[in-house]
Amino acid sequence: MDIKSSLHQIKEKFKGNKFAPAFNAFHTFLYTPNDVTKGGTHIKAADDLKRTMNMVILSLVPCLLFGIFNAGYQHYAAIDAANGVIREVSLFGNFINWENFILGATKVIPLVVVSYVVGLTVEFIFAVIKGHEVEEGYLVTGMLVPLIVPVDLPLWMLSVAVIFGVVIGKEVFGGTGMNILNPALTIRAFLFFAYPTWMSGDKVWVHGAVERTGTPEAISGETILGSYAQNQEIMYSLYDMFIGFIPGSVGETSKILIIFGALFLIFTKIGSWRIMLSTILGALFMGLIFNQVVDFGWITETSKFYGLMNVPFWEHLLIGSILFGAVFMATDPVTAAQTLKGKWIYGFLIGFISIMIRVFNPAYPEGVFLAILLMNVFAPTIDHYVIEANIKNRLNRLKIKSS
Amino acid sequence: MSKDIIVIKGLDINLVGDAEKTLDISKDSKFYSVYPEDFHGVYPKLIVKADDKVNAGDVLFYDKNDEEVKFVSPVSGKISEIKRGERRKVISINILADKNIEYKNLGKLDSKASKEKIVEYFLNAGLWPFIKQRPYDVIANHKVSPKAIFVSGFSSAPLSADLDFISKDYQDKIQIAIDVLSKLTDGEIHMSIRKNSDSILSDLKNIIIHNVSGPHPAGNVGTLINKVSPINKGEAAWTIALQDLILIGSVIESGKFSSERIVALVGSSIDNPRYIKTTIGSEMSTILGKGIKDNSRIISGNVLTGKQSSINGHLDYYSNTITAIPEGNDYDLFGWTRPIFDKISTSRALTFSWLLPNKKFDLNTNTNGEHRAFVVTGSYEKVFPLDIFPMRILKACMYNDLEEMEALGMYEVAPEDFALTEFICVSKQPHQEIIRKGLDEMKKELG
């Protein structure tokens, strides 16, 4: 008997059993089920939610791989910098090599594993309790979470945050498709407010920087945003920022790979180009306003806002996680605006508010995740007004008719 | 008079098994069946019992909610069985047909008949059930005068009967029906035909012809209504299918309930897809004969909106198509992630139907994935041409908010308008069923 029919028999045996959803979750990864249409259309298009989610994961894989190498590279680069050695980055020389990979992988892979294992366990438990199938939402969330945290984040903190994020951010609303806040960002927000010392500052962004603090081997773990916020000189070139040879959260430093991911999502018609584009436009617009403010001389070099306000408006896209947020976070269809017009407004405001928080909050300059969470809350309101227009047209049609 | 309508949003689904334009005559079926379930919302009150003798055109049952709406026998013969289900619900009325069909004389309709007389004739002759109404997509309320009557003169649904072909010999009958029906509305009769087709329908008089171009659902009557004159609260529009206009015309002309119908036999499971002349209520086994593959699903209607039937089933009261496609009751190894070339998709998520715009696909009934909550947004709008927010109205139906359903345009829609969004739905939600339940709920609460 082949695997297919033996699995089929197990499935039939467990039908109606409490743990059927758990078995089915694994079974459906191997085989798309033998379900046939019943009532309604007799044929169905090829795509299901697994395929859709899988596309998002595929688009994130390059960022993850880059993040692994970068974790290693930044560690060794910071040691060199502390010893006064000037490093010139070369992609296939001192970046893509075993040394970096092994160090990076030992730090990053555990983050991925913990994120998935903890998150999916929570999902399985809820699926069994509530008797529904395990939904695929966490597959993407579980991949996003390790990419948006500092590399040295203790694993127990990640576990606590994931449990919080999945339960409070998603399951209490009714599971995948019902949540108001982006689960990955809920997890990040929890980490940020519960363990601020591990989520911000000038140490956490490079592996080893925290544990070496105060020792003779101390190294810097500062991001570009942090340097700007303290009005310091920036040591990285635009090329470094674009390719991603900079410290930051695990997977969001490489702008070029994020752009590749974005193009893949747009091409496969999975991601909303409207949200991506409007977020970028919103960020550029806010950046431009700040540039004008500086040009008019309203803010001078003595101001604590000067550093970030004076960043050329387009350079905002290359630093911090605005691009990652625009492509992978803001576009989450469940928590974003759902109407076409609404998506434009929603994205624009995310970009706009992200840069505003970035400039006005020098203590923690990365405002993207807060901006997205804020707009998640307002997305239904935006949709409401867009739909209201449609409803008004309908009422007007009736009025014209009856007058 | 003719006008142009261009439909941009939609999706043409090209499937294997289109009917060849040849017409066979079906053998006569031994048994015929009428399923009260074909008439949505009707609560049947039988006036025949087993072993009664009926003529074609004799009343079998009427609607308890509106006793004037009567449903007649398509053939003459003896009532062989009245099949009942739970709580004695009538499943079907089976008739053992006579060799030579005898007709009840329904009388002729005076050409100068008043509106009331026409309605009365239709009700008594069993023609009324062919007139449907929006809102609610049910048999029309004969006490209300519609603002207009809409007829779709072409079908854009996958593997459906070519209405030009089935109507080509019946221009006079259609014209008779139109002339009579035009007296029942204060407005006009609107008909859509495919732009640049040489349909005989474009020569019809007493009617406004709309030349429609674009992908499915360009041929749906709901699309026509939405583009011509969307239904407002308190209004009603009537819709009649073209094959039923032919039937109405011939009944008015002859005074006999002749339930003959040309039906397209389509789908990849049918050996020889073609057209066949048969009768409403005929056995599927007689119509289809032997030319059908094993493990097939037989559908009375098209693949998007038809009813699931079987070889033991019967042609339903409204269908002009019988489809047979393979059942998809098999597992697909890594079906959720492997590249897909042989199925239709509107995304490009390793699905390659976008590379093959002219390919005819052989789709089966597999759901290609499991039922999930709504997640993806923005995809329905690309195949939904009505000025309505599809996901919003579906959700409003699911949580039964009548006020919101009304505001979002529930009076304008029928389940079939949501067939394409259901087809492409990544979450495999039953859109048509959701809309149907929503409409029923609204009708119950608001009348």
Side-chain angles (χ1 to χ4, degrees):
Chain A
M1 197 157 50
D2 59 348
I3 300 178
K4 190 167 87 174
S5 39
S6 11
L7 285 173
H8 175 70
Q9 277 174 0
I10 298 175
K11 180 180 152 187
E12 293 299 315
K13 216 169 94 185
F14 276 91
K15 216 167 221 171
N17 187 300
K18 264 187 112 130
F19 293 94
F23 170 76
N24 289 347
F26 288 110
H27 188 200
T28 54
F29 266 101
L30 196 56
Y31 286 105
T32 303
N34 60 345
D35 299 346
V36 293
T37 52
K38 223 176 152 205
T41 61
H42 297 269
I43 52 174
K44 298 272 186 190
D47 312 70
D48 65 349
L49 201 56
K50 275 197 180 62
R51 181 170 286 272
T52 305
M53 295 294 184
N54 188 34
M55 290 303 117
V56 185
I57 294 172
L58 284 183
S59 70
L60 285 166
V61 167
C63 290
L64 176 73
L65 289 177
F66 188 92
I68 289 174
F69 283 106
N70 197 43
Y73 174 79
Q74 292 302 332
H75 174 72
Y76 294 119
I79 291 173
D80 279 1
N83 295 334
V85 180
I86 310 270
R87 250 194 189 215
E88 201 56 45
V89 62
S90 83
L91 188 58
F92 293 103
N94 58 10
F95 189 78
I96 297 185
N97 58 39
W98 278 112
E99 204 185 13
N100 289 347
F101 180 80
I102 289 165
L103 181 68
T106 52
K107 294 310 295 176
V108 174
I109 299 296
L111 291 175
V112 177
V113 171
V114 166
S115 159
Y116 269 118
V117 169
V118 174
L120 287 175
T121 307
V122 176
E123 292 258 348
F124 271 63
I125 291 170
F126 272 89
V128 168
I129 292 174
K130 298 206 284 186
H132 62 66
E133 298 294 329
V134 179
E135 307 231 355
E136 287 80 8
Y138 194 77
L139 295 182
V140 171
T141 309
M143 186 68 162
L144 285 169
V145 167
L147 299 184
I148 56 173
V149 295
V151 62
D152 268 353
L153 186 76
L155 296 177
W156 68 267
M157 285 184 192
L158 184 66
S159 314
V160 174
V162 166
I163 293 170
F164 174 87
V166 176
V167 175
I168 303 298
K170 196 157 82 169
E171 293 301 338
V172 294
F173 292 103
T176 300
M178 312 294 174
N179 47 313
I180 295 174
L181 299 176
N182 186 316
L185 291 181
T186 310
I187 292 168
R188 193 180 205 277
F190 178 85
L191 285 170
F192 180 66
F193 291 111
Y195 313 110
T197 50
W198 276 101
M199 290 296 291
S200 56
D202 58 0
K203 290 290 170 214
V204 299
W205 306 104
V206 171
H207 165 59
V210 175
E211 61 192 42
R212 287 163 188 249
T213 306
T215 66
E217 291 100 51
I219 56 174
S220 164
E222 181 65 300
T223 62
I224 295 175
L225 275 175
S227 307
Y228 268 129
Q230 293 162 28
N231 290 349
Q232 290 167 352
E233 196 68 21
I234 302 304
M235 311 173 299
Y236 300 96
S237 68
L238 286 176
Y239 171 80
D240 290 344
M241 298 180 197
F242 185 64
I243 305 296
F245 304 129
I246 54 174
S249 297
V250 172
E252 55 192 23
T253 59
S254 176
K255 305 302 172 283
I256 186 169
L257 292 179
I258 294 170
I259 291 168
F260 273 129
L263 292 177
F264 181 74
L265 287 179
I266 292 169
F267 174 77
T268 53
K269 301 192 185 179
I270 302 294
S272 166
W273 59 271
R274 289 181 180 84
I275 294 177
M276 297 181 198
L277 181 62
S278 58
T279 305
I280 289 166
L281 290 177
L284 291 175
F285 184 69
M286 189 78 246
L288 208 53
I289 291 178
F290 283 136
N291 284 176
Q292 291 303 313
V293 168
V294 171
D295 286 352
F296 286 142
W298 295 342
I299 294 286
T300 56
E301 282 184 48
T302 53
S303 164
K304 59 180 177 178
F305 302 132
Y306 180 81
L308 275 162
M309 224 179 245
N310 193 37
V311 173
F313 65 98
W314 50 271
E315 221 181 288
H316 275 295
L317 299 179
L318 295 181
I319 54 180
S321 51
I322 178 79
L323 211 55
F324 192 87
V327 172
F328 296 111
M329 295 290 181
T331 52
D332 170 19
V334 175
T335 53
Q338 302 182 343
T339 54
L340 294 189
K341 260 186 218 159
K343 284 176 180 169
W344 284 107
I345 300 167
Y346 163 86
F348 189 86
L349 288 175
I350 286 178
F352 191 86
I353 296 170
S354 293
I355 302 302
M356 197 186 318
I357 298 175
R358 175 178 284 188
V359 170
F360 284 140
N361 186 359
Y364 180 68
E366 192 42 289
V368 178
F369 85 97
L370 289 171
I372 296 175
L373 285 174
L374 182 70
M375 291 318 296
N376 282 168
V377 174
F378 282 107
T381 314
I382 296 171
D383 281 338
H384 174 81
Y385 284 106
V386 173
I387 289 168
E388 200 66 13
N390 178 272
I391 291 172
K392 281 221 178 81
N393 284 344
R394 195 163 283 115
L395 289 175
N396 286 340
R397 203 168 70 201
L398 186 61
K399 262 183 218 149
I400 292 164
K401 198 94 181 187
S402 51
S403 62
Chain B
M1 201 161 114
S2 79
K3 293 170 177 174
D4 279 7
I5 294 172
I6 299 165
V7 175
I8 295 163
K9 293 170 178 175
L11 174 70
D12 277 330
I13 300 172
N14 295 322
L15 299 182
V16 179
D18 222 348
E20 199 185 314
K21 299 229 166 66
T22 55
L23 184 61
D24 279 1
I25 311 289
S26 170
K27 278 191 294 185
D28 287 336
S29 187
K30 193 172 168 202
F31 288 95
Y32 290 78
S33 280
V34 177
Y35 293 80
E37 202 195 18
D38 288 351
F39 313 101
H40 185 83
V42 167
Y43 192 77
K45 181 76 187 163
L46 293 180
I47 61 169
V48 292
K49 52 187 186 300
D51 296 331
D52 278 4
K53 174 92 184 62
V54 290
N55 289 327
D58 273 344
V59 178
L60 295 175
F61 60 92
Y62 60 84
D63 183 7
K64 240 185 187 174
N65 303 321
D66 182 351
E67 302 192 352
E68 286 174 87
V69 180
K70 299 173 188 95
F71 301 82
V72 301
S73 174
V75 291
S76 69
K78 197 180 79 170
I79 309 285
S80 61
E81 190 196 2
I82 289 168
K83 219 170 152 186
R84 290 177 186 271
E86 271 175 52
R87 295 160 79 195
R88 294 186 48 78
K89 185 186 167 203
V90 181
I91 306 283
S92 67
I93 299 146
N94 302 340
I95 304 154
L96 174 63
D98 294 335
K99 283 256 147 44
N100 295 307
I101 303 297
E102 287 168 39
Y103 295 92
K104 177 188 178 188
N105 184 8
L106 297 167
K108 296 242 164 95
L109 191 57
D110 185 4
S111 61
K112 291 195 186 65
S114 67
K115 196 166 151 181
E116 290 73 27
K117 282 268 180 264
I118 296 171
V119 171
E120 199 187 314
Y121 182 86
F122 270 61
L123 288 167
N124 290 327
L127 294 178
W128 198 262
F130 294 112
I131 304 177
K132 290 195 162 184
Q133 69 162 41
R134 305 255 174 129
Y136 309 133
D137 193 37
V138 289
I139 292 172
N141 179 353
H142 55 88
K143 295 170 191 113
V144 175
S145 182
K147 71 167 176 174
I149 297 175
F150 295 87
V151 182
S152 166
F154 75 103
S155 177
S156 53
L159 297 184
S160 55
D162 178 358
L163 298 187
D164 289 353
F165 181 77
I166 67 168
S167 64
K168 67 179 168 38
D169 297 329
Y170 299 100
Q171 191 182 349
D172 51 336
K173 294 202 166 65
I174 296 170
Q175 188 66 58
I176 290 169
I178 283 171
D179 290 343
V180 171
L181 286 166
S182 64
K183 293 182 191 162
L184 297 184
T185 170
D186 309 326
E188 309 279 349
I189 300 183
H190 299 268
M191 185 185 277
S192 58
I193 62 169
R194 174 73 78 188
K195 195 176 163 95
N196 301 330
S197 76
D198 48 0
S199 166
I200 56 114
L201 301 170
S202 55
D203 302 330
L204 292 170
K205 292 172 196 73
N206 227 343
I207 191 167
I208 298 177
I209 295 282
H210 300 267
N211 295 303
V212 186
S213 50
H216 185 61
N220 276 8
V221 73
T223 310
L224 177 67
I225 299 175
N226 191 270
K227 300 289 175 195
V228 173
S229 167
I231 298 160
N232 298 310
K233 189 181 182 176
E235 293 176 341
W238 289 355
T239 66
I240 306 172
L242 192 70
Q243 67 271 18
D244 299 333
L245 275 185
I246 298 172
L247 191 148
I248 290 169
S250 69
V251 172
I252 291 171
E253 192 184 43
S254 65
K256 291 193 273 190
F257 193 87
S258 51
S259 50
E260 238 181 28
R261 170 159 296 176
I262 296 175
V263 171
L265 308 182
V266 295
S268 60
S269 286
I270 288 185
D271 290 342
N272 180 17
R274 65 201 184 277
Y275 289 83
I276 199 158
K277 198 184 246 177
T278 179
T279 305
I280 293 174
S282 289
E283 295 161 330
M284 285 290 182
S285 52
T286 312
I287 301 174
L288 292 169
K290 288 203 169 54
I292 182 158
K293 295 186 180 68
D294 288 344
N295 194 26
S296 299
R297 174 173 298 190
I298 296 167
I299 303 158
S300 187
N302 69 50
V303 286
L304 292 182
T305 59
K307 282 184 186 167
Q308 184 168 356
S309 184
S310 71
I311 197 75
N312 302 318
H314 293 255
L315 176 64
D316 85 29
Y317 227 80
Y318 293 108
S319 292
N320 63 3
T321 308
I322 295 170
T323 313
I325 54 172
E327 282 286 7
N329 49 355
D330 195 8
Y331 294 93
D332 185 7
L333 184 64
F334 295 124
W336 59 281
T337 185
R338 71 178 172 86
I340 301 264
F341 292 90
D342 56 354
K343 288 174 183 167
I344 293 174
S345 162
T346 50
S347 76
R348 301 192 191 117
L350 297 186
T351 51
F352 294 92
S353 63
W354 60 276
L355 277 177
L356 313 157
N358 298 319
K359 180 181 156 100
K360 284 181 185 284
F361 291 85
D362 181 5
L363 299 188
N364 60 35
T365 63
N366 193 281
T367 52
N368 300 323
E370 293 174 296
H371 179 268
R372 291 288 182 260
F374 283 111
V375 170
V376 174
T377 63
S379 58
Y380 303 146
E381 284 80 356
K382 289 180 193 145
V383 298
F384 190 79
L386 313 186
D387 182 22
I388 286 172
F389 287 97
M391 183 135 134
R392 231 358 114 111
I393 205 166
L394 284 165
K395 285 188 172 173
C397 288
M398 289 167 88
Y399 51 70
N400 243 324
D401 183 336
L402 293 176
E403 213 169 297
E404 194 178 334
M405 282 150 73
E406 180 181 297
L408 289 169
M410 203 64 182
Y411 293 122
E412 301 165 39
V413 300
E416 64 167 12
D417 297 328
F418 289 82
L420 269 181
T421 59
E422 182 176 339
F423 170 71
I424 66 155
C425 185
V426 164
S427 299
K428 313 292 177 190
Q429 289 271 353
H431 295 202
Q432 295 186 87
E433 189 188 313
I434 294 168
I435 293 293
R436 181 72 266 170
K437 282 189 179 149
L439 289 170
D440 289 348
E441 191 63 27
M442 262 185 116
K443 184 159 187 287
K444 202 172 91 192
E445 298 293 328
L446 308 171

